[in-house]
Amino acid sequence: MSNAPATQVNIAEPLRRTDLLCLGALLLAYLVLFIPSYLDLSKTVWASDEQGHGPIILAVSGWLLYQQRHAVWAVEAKPSFWLGVPLLVLGVFCYAFGRSQSILLFEISAQILLLAAMLTLLLGTAALRAVWFPLFFMLFMVPLPEVLVTALTTPLKSAVSAVASAILYQANYPVGRAGVILTVGPYQLLVADACAGLNSMFTLEALGMLYMKLMNYTSVARNVALAVLLIPIAFAANVVRVMILVLVTYHFGDEAGQGFIHGFAGMVLFMVALMLMLVVDRFLNLKWHRERAK
């Protein structure tokens, strides 16, 4: 009596298809929940100068998550209910409360909690660790409360105005200051919220975090040092922006200062900020050797 070879059943492919169907269903549910939120943001917060960086943060976060797909797919599935269930409950609560009460802080924060909950419930904490940075990066697209924005913007505008006017005065320009109003020659300029630097601080912090991730810096102390130094860098860049606008207005008139040059000064701000960030990064390299992830 001969023993026939046992038939081997390859269950990997059916499981793969099942996983893909599950992933597709979850992605569809996610889009159904948050596309209306993104549309609301595009008409309100993202349309403003102060928090117009939101769509870029969302796109970069999606790209970072896509880059980590192989790492997530390679994780051995060990669902963690003790962490996943609380994240799911908190995420659903934040979304329901934020959506019903039109509180974008809770509504948009819920997407991070729900993504973390899905990963933890399906694959476990190892998958969550694999995508911690994209989820953390999404925090930069969460709209800040208006009360907090006002509280931070007012002193920043005063500080930027004071430093810019002091530098120009030392350069023998006829500059005066009354609060956030700068007087240069026959012209008066109001330092608006967009020139205060709060938006550029958050945007530059996000760019700095992305830069550190792409450069694979693994020293915690080095990363914290660069993140902290980005705050005065953003402040200095805004001072340069205000000085450019004042000088253009003084030499070429009010129309030039409020026209194309006004928007171009915003581009100069980020160019100056990025150059300063790279210079600071070079100095940090003198103390910390660049470490690349193996």
Side-chain angles (χ1 to χ4, degrees):
M1 184 175 179
S2 62
N3 293 328
T7 303
Q8 294 183 351
V9 180
N10 185 5
I11 64 172
E13 192 62 29
L15 284 177
R16 185 77 170 183
R17 289 197 297 268
T18 303
D19 291 342
L20 289 175
L21 287 174
C22 180
L23 181 62
L26 289 173
L27 179 61
L28 180 61
Y30 178 87
L31 293 176
V32 169
L33 279 178
F34 289 104
I35 281 182
S37 302
Y38 297 151
L39 291 175
D40 291 342
L41 287 171
S42 67
K43 299 174 184 177
T44 54
V45 176
W46 288 354
S48 65
D49 292 333
E50 290 76 13
Q51 300 190 49
H53 57 275
I56 300 174
I57 300 297
L58 178 61
V60 173
S61 299
W63 175 76
L64 290 171
L65 284 171
Y66 180 76
Q67 292 293 107
Q68 291 297 107
R69 67 191 186 281
H70 296 301
V72 172
W73 212 247
V75 167
E76 182 182 356
K78 292 182 179 179
S80 177
F81 295 99
W82 67 268
L83 179 60
V85 171
L87 284 174
L88 180 63
V89 172
L90 182 60
V92 170
F93 171 78
C94 286
Y95 179 81
F97 180 73
R99 186 69 180 170
S100 62
Q101 303 301 314
S102 298
I103 303 177
L104 291 173
L105 173 65
F106 289 99
E107 184 180 350
I108 303 305
S109 297
Q111 66 180 341
I112 305 172
L113 296 170
L114 291 176
L115 284 173
M118 287 188 292
L119 284 169
T120 308
L121 289 172
L122 291 175
L123 297 173
T125 55
L128 186 60
R129 286 194 298 269
V131 297
W132 75 268
F133 182 79
L135 295 181
F136 171 78
F137 195 72
M138 293 179 75
L139 288 173
F140 288 100
M141 67 172 285
V142 176
L144 297 175
E146 190 63 33
V147 175
L148 179 60
V149 171
T150 302
L152 293 176
T153 299
T154 301
L156 279 174
K157 286 195 297 185
S158 297
V160 169
S161 304
V163 174
S165 61
I167 293 175
L168 291 173
Y169 182 80
Q170 293 298 321
N172 295 322
Y173 279 94
V175 176
R177 183 178 73 93
V180 295
I181 297 177
L182 298 179
T183 302
V184 54
Y187 305 105
Q188 282 190 338
L189 293 89
L190 173 66
V191 178
D193 291 350
C195 297
L198 183 62
N199 172 47
S200 58
M201 283 183 184
F202 278 96
T203 305
L204 190 60
E205 282 289 344
L207 288 174
M209 295 292 179
L210 181 61
Y211 172 77
M212 288 183 278
K213 175 65 176 178
L214 295 178
M215 296 298 290
N216 290 324
Y217 292 145
T218 57
S219 172
V220 176
R222 188 193 191 290
N223 291 342
V224 170
L226 182 57
V228 171
L229 289 172
L230 287 175
I231 297 175
I233 287 175
F235 180 83
N238 273 279
V239 171
V240 172
R241 177 187 187 182
V242 172
M243 290 173 58
I244 290 175
L245 292 176
V246 171
L247 292 174
V248 168
T249 301
Y250 178 71
H251 289 288
F252 302 102
D254 186 61
E255 291 186 1
Q258 299 301 319
F260 169 78
I261 300 298
H262 189 277
F264 180 73
M267 298 173 59
V268 172
L269 180 151
F270 282 104
M271 288 189 290
V272 170
L274 288 175
M275 286 189 295
L276 288 175
M277 182 183 73
L278 294 176
V279 170
V280 169
D281 182 59
R282 291 292 184 183
F283 277 106
L284 290 177
N285 278 337
L286 298 178
K287 183 173 179 58
W288 286 285
H289 292 292
R290 187 171 65 185
E291 302 175 9
R292 291 199 173 269
K294 296 181 180 180

